[in-house]
PDB file of all heavy atoms in Angstrom:
ATOM      1  N   ARG A  13      -4.437  -2.579  12.261  1.00 91.00           N
ATOM      2  CA  ARG A  13      -5.309  -3.753  12.389  1.00 91.00           C
ATOM      3  C   ARG A  13      -6.716  -3.332  12.777  1.00 91.00           C
ATOM      4  O   ARG A  13      -7.701  -3.917  12.292  1.00 91.00           O
ATOM      5  CB  ARG A  13      -4.734  -4.720  13.444  1.00 91.00           C
ATOM      6  CG  ARG A  13      -5.620  -5.921  13.728  1.00 91.00           C
ATOM      7  CD  ARG A  13      -5.753  -6.814  12.505  1.00 91.00           C
ATOM      8  NE  ARG A  13      -6.698  -7.924  12.741  1.00 91.00           N
ATOM      9  CZ  ARG A  13      -8.009  -7.839  12.553  1.00 91.00           C
ATOM     10  NH1 ARG A  13      -8.556  -6.707  12.131  1.00 91.00           N
ATOM     11  NH2 ARG A  13      -8.791  -8.877  12.766  1.00 91.00           N
ATOM     12  N   GLU A  97     -21.440   1.294  15.811  1.00 94.00           N
ATOM     13  CA  GLU A  97     -21.239   2.542  16.558  1.00 94.00           C
ATOM     14  C   GLU A  97     -19.793   3.003  16.479  1.00 94.00           C
ATOM     15  O   GLU A  97     -19.514   4.195  16.282  1.00 94.00           O
ATOM     16  CB  GLU A  97     -21.634   2.340  18.021  1.00 94.00           C
ATOM     17  CG  GLU A  97     -23.122   2.318  18.282  1.00 94.00           C
ATOM     18  CD  GLU A  97     -23.426   2.306  19.767  1.00 94.00           C
ATOM     19  OE1 GLU A  97     -22.596   1.804  20.553  1.00 94.00           O
ATOM     20  OE2 GLU A  97     -24.507   2.795  20.143  1.00 94.00           O
ATOM     21  N   HIS A  98     -18.862   2.063  16.650  1.00 95.00           N
ATOM     22  CA  HIS A  98     -17.442   2.427  16.597  1.00 95.00           C
ATOM     23  C   HIS A  98     -17.050   2.927  15.212  1.00 95.00           C
ATOM     24  O   HIS A  98     -16.287   3.889  15.082  1.00 95.00           O
ATOM     25  CB  HIS A  98     -16.582   1.216  16.979  1.00 95.00           C
ATOM     26  CG  HIS A  98     -16.772   0.768  18.391  1.00 95.00           C
ATOM     27  ND1 HIS A  98     -16.448  -0.502  18.837  1.00 95.00           N
ATOM     28  CD2 HIS A  98     -17.273   1.409  19.471  1.00 95.00           C
ATOM     29  CE1 HIS A  98     -16.730  -0.604  20.122  1.00 95.00           C
ATOM     30  NE2 HIS A  98     -17.237   0.536  20.528  1.00 95.00           N
ATOM     31  N   LEU A 195     -19.213 -21.944  18.505  1.00 40.00           N
ATOM     32  CA  LEU A 195     -19.282 -20.608  17.924  1.00 40.00           C
ATOM     33  C   LEU A 195     -19.981 -20.639  16.575  1.00 40.00           C
ATOM     34  O   LEU A 195     -20.784 -19.771  16.243  1.00 40.00           O
ATOM     35  CB  LEU A 195     -17.865 -20.020  17.778  1.00 40.00           C
ATOM     36  CG  LEU A 195     -17.116 -19.755  19.078  1.00 40.00           C
ATOM     37  CD1 LEU A 195     -15.740 -19.184  18.782  1.00 40.00           C
ATOM     38  CD2 LEU A 195     -17.905 -18.800  19.969  1.00 40.00           C
ATOM     39  N   VAL A 196     -19.648 -21.644  15.784  1.00 45.00           N
ATOM     40  CA  VAL A 196     -20.288 -21.791  14.479  1.00 45.00           C
ATOM     41  C   VAL A 196     -21.769 -22.078  14.649  1.00 45.00           C
ATOM     42  O   VAL A 196     -22.614 -21.547  13.930  1.00 45.00           O
ATOM     43  CB  VAL A 196     -19.606 -22.907  13.662  1.00 45.00           C
ATOM     44  CG1 VAL A 196     -20.289 -23.067  12.305  1.00 45.00           C
ATOM     45  CG2 VAL A 196     -18.128 -22.590  13.467  1.00 45.00           C
ATOM     46  N   LEU A 199     -23.577 -18.899  15.433  1.00 46.00           N
ATOM     47  CA  LEU A 199     -23.747 -18.059  14.254  1.00 46.00           C
ATOM     48  C   LEU A 199     -24.852 -18.597  13.359  1.00 46.00           C
ATOM     49  O   LEU A 199     -25.604 -17.852  12.743  1.00 46.00           O
ATOM     50  CB  LEU A 199     -22.429 -17.983  13.467  1.00 46.00           C
ATOM     51  CG  LEU A 199     -22.411 -17.078  12.235  1.00 46.00           C
ATOM     52  CD1 LEU A 199     -22.745 -15.651  12.625  1.00 46.00           C
ATOM     53  CD2 LEU A 199     -21.062 -17.134  11.547  1.00 46.00           C
ATOM     54  N   ALA A 260     -15.094 -15.276  -9.578  1.00 96.00           N
ATOM     55  CA  ALA A 260     -14.152 -15.723  -8.553  1.00 96.00           C
ATOM     56  C   ALA A 260     -14.967 -16.343  -7.439  1.00 96.00           C
ATOM     57  O   ALA A 260     -16.188 -16.171  -7.373  1.00 96.00           O
ATOM     58  CB  ALA A 260     -13.320 -14.554  -8.038  1.00 96.00           C
ATOM     59  N   CYS A 266     -12.938 -10.339  -3.721  1.00 97.00           N
ATOM     60  CA  CYS A 266     -12.552  -8.997  -3.270  1.00 97.00           C
ATOM     61  C   CYS A 266     -11.058  -8.731  -3.445  1.00 97.00           C
ATOM     62  O   CYS A 266     -10.553  -7.698  -3.010  1.00 97.00           O
ATOM     63  CB  CYS A 266     -12.935  -8.814  -1.805  1.00 97.00           C
ATOM     64  SG  CYS A 266     -12.265 -10.093  -0.719  1.00 97.00           S
ATOM     65  N   GLU A 281     -15.425   0.618 -12.030  1.00 98.00           N
ATOM     66  CA  GLU A 281     -16.291   1.543 -12.778  1.00 98.00           C
ATOM     67  C   GLU A 281     -17.419   2.036 -11.889  1.00 98.00           C
ATOM     68  O   GLU A 281     -17.807   3.215 -11.941  1.00 98.00           O
ATOM     69  CB  GLU A 281     -16.862   0.840 -14.011  1.00 98.00           C
ATOM     70  CG  GLU A 281     -17.677   1.750 -14.936  1.00 98.00           C
ATOM     71  CD  GLU A 281     -19.119   1.960 -14.468  1.00 98.00           C
ATOM     72  OE1 GLU A 281     -19.672   1.042 -13.809  1.00 98.00           O
ATOM     73  OE2 GLU A 281     -19.687   3.043 -14.734  1.00 98.00           O
ATOM     74  N   PRO A 291     -20.836  14.280  -5.373  1.00 97.00           N
ATOM     75  CA  PRO A 291     -20.797  15.637  -4.797  1.00 97.00           C
ATOM     76  C   PRO A 291     -22.080  16.441  -4.980  1.00 97.00           C
ATOM     77  O   PRO A 291     -22.574  17.060  -4.030  1.00 97.00           O
ATOM     78  CB  PRO A 291     -19.613  16.287  -5.524  1.00 97.00           C
ATOM     79  CG  PRO A 291     -18.698  15.138  -5.819  1.00 97.00           C
ATOM     80  CD  PRO A 291     -19.615  14.007  -6.180  1.00 97.00           C
ATOM     81  N   LYS A 295     -24.583  17.353  -1.796  1.00 97.00           N
ATOM     82  CA  LYS A 295     -24.811  18.773  -1.482  1.00 97.00           C
ATOM     83  C   LYS A 295     -26.302  19.036  -1.301  1.00 97.00           C
ATOM     84  O   LYS A 295     -26.712  19.754  -0.375  1.00 97.00           O
ATOM     85  CB  LYS A 295     -24.254  19.677  -2.580  1.00 97.00           C
ATOM     86  CG  LYS A 295     -24.407  21.175  -2.271  1.00 97.00           C
ATOM     87  CD  LYS A 295     -23.877  22.036  -3.387  1.00 97.00           C
ATOM     88  CE  LYS A 295     -23.966  23.517  -2.997  1.00 97.00           C
ATOM     89  NZ  LYS A 295     -25.341  23.939  -2.636  1.00 97.00           N
ATOM     90  N   THR A 323     -45.656  32.171  31.415  1.00 66.00           N
ATOM     91  CA  THR A 323     -45.211  32.476  32.780  1.00 66.00           C
ATOM     92  C   THR A 323     -45.204  33.976  33.019  1.00 66.00           C
ATOM     93  O   THR A 323     -45.641  34.468  34.060  1.00 66.00           O
ATOM     94  CB  THR A 323     -43.798  31.906  33.014  1.00 66.00           C
ATOM     95  OG1 THR A 323     -43.816  30.503  32.768  1.00 66.00           O
ATOM     96  CG2 THR A 323     -43.334  32.177  34.432  1.00 66.00           C
ATOM     97  N   SER A 345     -61.630  61.526  46.918  1.00 44.00           N
ATOM     98  CA  SER A 345     -60.814  62.132  45.868  1.00 44.00           C
ATOM     99  C   SER A 345     -61.671  63.048  45.027  1.00 44.00           C
ATOM    100  O   SER A 345     -62.839  62.762  44.755  1.00 44.00           O
ATOM    101  CB  SER A 345     -60.205  61.036  44.990  1.00 44.00           C
ATOM    102  OG  SER A 345     -59.527  61.624  43.909  1.00 44.00           O
ATOM    103  N   GLU A 350     -64.884  62.673  34.192  1.00 45.00           N
ATOM    104  CA  GLU A 350     -65.694  63.671  33.503  1.00 45.00           C
ATOM    105  C   GLU A 350     -65.056  65.037  33.655  1.00 45.00           C
ATOM    106  O   GLU A 350     -64.694  65.449  34.746  1.00 45.00           O
ATOM    107  CB  GLU A 350     -67.106  63.673  34.099  1.00 45.00           C
ATOM    108  CG  GLU A 350     -68.051  64.601  33.372  1.00 45.00           C
ATOM    109  CD  GLU A 350     -69.447  64.545  33.926  1.00 45.00           C
ATOM    110  OE1 GLU A 350     -69.685  63.696  34.825  1.00 45.00           O
ATOM    111  OE2 GLU A 350     -70.282  65.312  33.476  1.00 45.00           O
ATOM    112  N   SER A 354     -56.986  67.669  29.196  1.00 51.00           N
ATOM    113  CA  SER A 354     -56.268  66.938  28.136  1.00 51.00           C
ATOM    114  C   SER A 354     -54.969  66.363  28.656  1.00 51.00           C
ATOM    115  O   SER A 354     -54.518  65.295  28.228  1.00 51.00           O
ATOM    116  CB  SER A 354     -55.984  67.877  26.938  1.00 51.00           C
ATOM    117  OG  SER A 354     -55.196  68.989  27.361  1.00 51.00           O
ATOM    118  N   GLU A 358     -53.856  62.410  28.593  1.00 47.00           N
ATOM    119  CA  GLU A 358     -52.572  61.997  27.993  1.00 47.00           C
ATOM    120  C   GLU A 358     -51.826  61.070  28.934  1.00 47.00           C
ATOM    121  O   GLU A 358     -51.213  60.098  28.518  1.00 47.00           O
ATOM    122  CB  GLU A 358     -51.720  63.242  27.709  1.00 47.00           C
ATOM    123  CG  GLU A 358     -50.336  62.948  27.097  1.00 47.00           C
ATOM    124  CD  GLU A 358     -50.461  62.368  25.704  1.00 47.00           C
ATOM    125  OE1 GLU A 358     -51.517  62.564  25.049  1.00 47.00           O
ATOM    126  OE2 GLU A 358     -49.508  61.704  25.250  1.00 47.00           O
ATOM    127  N   LYS A 370     -40.339  46.861  26.215  1.00 54.00           N
ATOM    128  CA  LYS A 370     -39.399  47.001  27.334  1.00 54.00           C
ATOM    129  C   LYS A 370     -39.964  46.308  28.581  1.00 54.00           C
ATOM    130  O   LYS A 370     -39.232  45.692  29.353  1.00 54.00           O
ATOM    131  CB  LYS A 370     -39.142  48.466  27.624  1.00 54.00           C
ATOM    132  CG  LYS A 370     -38.340  49.173  26.530  1.00 54.00           C
ATOM    133  CD  LYS A 370     -38.140  50.642  26.873  1.00 54.00           C
ATOM    134  CE  LYS A 370     -37.329  51.354  25.781  1.00 54.00           C
ATOM    135  NZ  LYS A 370     -37.144  52.793  26.083  1.00 54.00           N
ATOM    136  N   GLU A 373     -39.465  42.576  28.113  1.00 52.00           N
ATOM    137  CA  GLU A 373     -38.048  42.215  28.267  1.00 52.00           C
ATOM    138  C   GLU A 373     -37.636  42.213  29.726  1.00 52.00           C
ATOM    139  O   GLU A 373     -36.848  41.386  30.176  1.00 52.00           O
ATOM    140  CB  GLU A 373     -37.181  43.183  27.470  1.00 52.00           C
ATOM    141  CG  GLU A 373     -37.296  42.999  25.948  1.00 52.00           C
ATOM    142  CD  GLU A 373     -36.489  44.027  25.182  1.00 52.00           C
ATOM    143  OE1 GLU A 373     -36.053  45.013  25.818  1.00 52.00           O
ATOM    144  OE2 GLU A 373     -36.304  43.840  23.973  1.00 52.00           O
TER     145      GLU A 373
END
Side-chain angles (χ1 to χ4, degrees):
R13 176 65 185 87
E97 284 188 332
H98 295 159
L195 295 180
V196 179
L199 183 59
C266 55
E281 185 278 331
K295 183 181 184 304
T323 303
S345 174
E350 185 177 355
S354 59
E358 179 66 22
K370 291 179 180 179
E373 289 177 347

